[in-house]
Amino acid sequence: MNKFTITVPASSANIGPGFDSAGLAVNKYLTLSVEYSNVWEFEHQSVHLPANPDPAKHLIYQAAKETADTFRAPLPPCKVVVESEIPLARGLGSSASAIVAGIELANQLCQLSLTDQEKLKQATMMEGHPDNVAAALLGGLVIASPLASGEIGVFKKADPQVELVVSIPEFELKTEDARKVLPEQFSRNDAVAASAVGNIVFAALVSGNYELAGKMMEEDLFHEPYRASLIPNYREIRNEAKSAGAYATVISGAGPTMISLVPKGKGSLVSASLQKRFPTYNVELLKIDPYGLRVNLDLSSRLAR
Ligand code: HSE
């Protein structure tokens, strides 16, 4: 009987003005250990996940089923042990990682041989926007945009030379609620101003001008000004991180986590300063995951079959 594992990183979407299009994969992981079974069964081994999950309502199962249906393949049942280091509803892409994991589960179980583009299309359709799912799938810094043809345009840079510090509060913020505070429309002038900031941020990040990227990241006009009031200590976290040497601090995804981009070698200092000042937060020093989704086939179980 074949066994395999699927590992998907967490992600931080937006990176300031890359609203709904840019994401960074980070080294916190969702891992599925899968073996064939007669019935569907999920077992959770994580403080972040509820006990006794119902397979039919499980996001990973739903993503797998929808993928199998899209490609008209029967989905064989299996037992899935889920381990997760990704806290829920904190802006670290937990649902995107689950969707990417579910798509890969169908890919393996149904032997679909999906391309990254096919997986990304499927994931974007399920999540509604590509930012978290593209980073979780591909790793690194990813900027993605659906095209009129249905294809997803994607740019990836695997290894921006920064460290990351996340300040994760104890409370949850649902993406749905954090999207309700955003304007439905922008005037042309406002759209031009907001996308100009974004253009500089991503040109600077990709070319390694992190000082400039940091300066512009904190000037986002697409979502941060509207969400700041939902996030206690928004300004204080920014200021503390900046004083300790960070390039910039922005809302991670829809929040409430804040993420600081920090020069290499300064992450411990920034992390310690933030943890001292905000003791109720879980402050963690993270790295960019350059790889994204990976699958590990258990060859010993295959040989034993
Ligand atoms: N781009 C999304 C948002 C990320 O900011 O609402 C969360 O899904």
Side-chain angles (χ1 to χ4, degrees):
M1 180 171 288
N2 284 353
K3 289 184 184 176
F4 56 91
T5 60
I6 294 173
T7 304
V8 186
S11 55
S12 178
N14 300 330
I15 318 169
F19 180 71
D20 276 1
S21 63
L24 269 178
V26 303
N27 64 335
K28 285 175 97 61
Y29 297 98
L30 172 70
T31 304
L32 314 189
S33 302
V34 186
E35 57 185 300
Y36 288 96
S37 171
N38 292 328
V39 288
W40 275 97
E41 190 187 342
F42 281 88
E43 182 183 315
H44 284 173
Q45 294 185 350
S46 165
V47 292
H48 301 301
L49 300 174
N52 306 319
D54 176 354
K57 292 187 185 148
H58 205 289
L59 184 55
I60 293 172
Y61 168 78
Q62 289 171 345
K65 182 75 175 84
E66 204 167 313
T67 305
D69 289 350
T70 301
F71 292 91
R72 296 190 175 81
L75 184 67
C78 58
K79 177 178 176 185
V80 185
V81 177
V82 184
E83 293 166 73
S84 179
E85 302 170 343
I86 312 174
L88 304 181
R90 305 295 164 78
L92 288 167
S94 57
S95 65
S97 299
I99 287 170
V100 169
I103 291 168
E104 186 57 38
L105 183 59
N107 188 38
Q108 293 296 325
L109 293 174
C110 310
Q111 301 184 340
L112 298 174
S113 303
L114 299 179
T115 61
D116 281 346
Q117 179 63 221
E118 286 169 323
K119 292 177 197 173
L120 185 53
K121 264 197 215 166
Q122 186 73 22
T124 302
M125 190 179 67
M126 291 194 68
E127 178 80 342
H129 35 81
D131 47 6
N132 289 103
V133 290
L137 177 67
L138 301 171
L141 163 68
V142 183
I143 308 165
S145 174
L147 311 179
S149 63
E151 189 193 339
I152 315 268
V154 189
F155 172 87
K156 169 179 169 178
K157 183 173 173 68
D159 56 351
Q161 297 297 304
V162 292
E163 291 179 5
L164 307 170
V165 175
V166 285
S167 302
I168 310 173
E170 285 170 330
F171 67 92
E172 298 185 352
L173 176 58
K174 297 252 181 284
T175 297
E176 197 188 331
D177 295 330
R179 289 180 87 84
K180 278 187 196 142
V181 302
L182 305 180
E184 283 296 326
Q185 293 182 328
F186 287 89
S187 69
R188 183 167 63 190
N189 281 351
D190 289 350
V192 168
S195 59
V197 173
N199 295 341
I200 301 178
V201 165
F202 292 102
L205 271 181
V206 167
S207 59
N209 188 343
Y210 302 116
E211 292 284 348
L212 176 61
K215 185 166 150 186
M216 299 304 292
M217 271 168 71
E218 293 195 352
E219 297 294 316
D220 167 58
L221 296 167
F222 280 122
H223 74 116
E224 298 240 354
Y226 309 99
R227 287 174 163 168
S229 62
L230 301 178
I231 304 201
N233 303 311
Y234 176 84
R235 299 246 159 253
E236 292 80 358
I237 292 172
R238 267 195 171 175
N239 292 341
E240 184 69 34
K242 184 64 69 63
S243 309
Y247 291 123
T249 301
V250 291
I251 301 170
S252 181
T257 293
M258 299 282 287
I259 186 165
S260 306
L261 268 66
V262 178
K264 286 252 175 182
K266 286 202 179 160
S268 303
L269 181 67
V270 172
S271 164
S273 307
L274 285 164
Q275 189 65 81
K276 187 162 175 229
R277 173 87 189 270
F278 303 100
T280 64
Y281 284 63
N282 180 22
V283 179
E284 290 186 45
L285 174 57
L286 298 181
K287 283 193 252 175
I288 295 174
D289 172 293
Y291 310 111
L293 164 74
R294 42 220 183 257
V295 178
N296 202 331
L297 300 177
D298 181 345
L299 296 178
S300 57
S301 69
R302 179 178 279 188
L303 289 173
R305 191 161 56 146

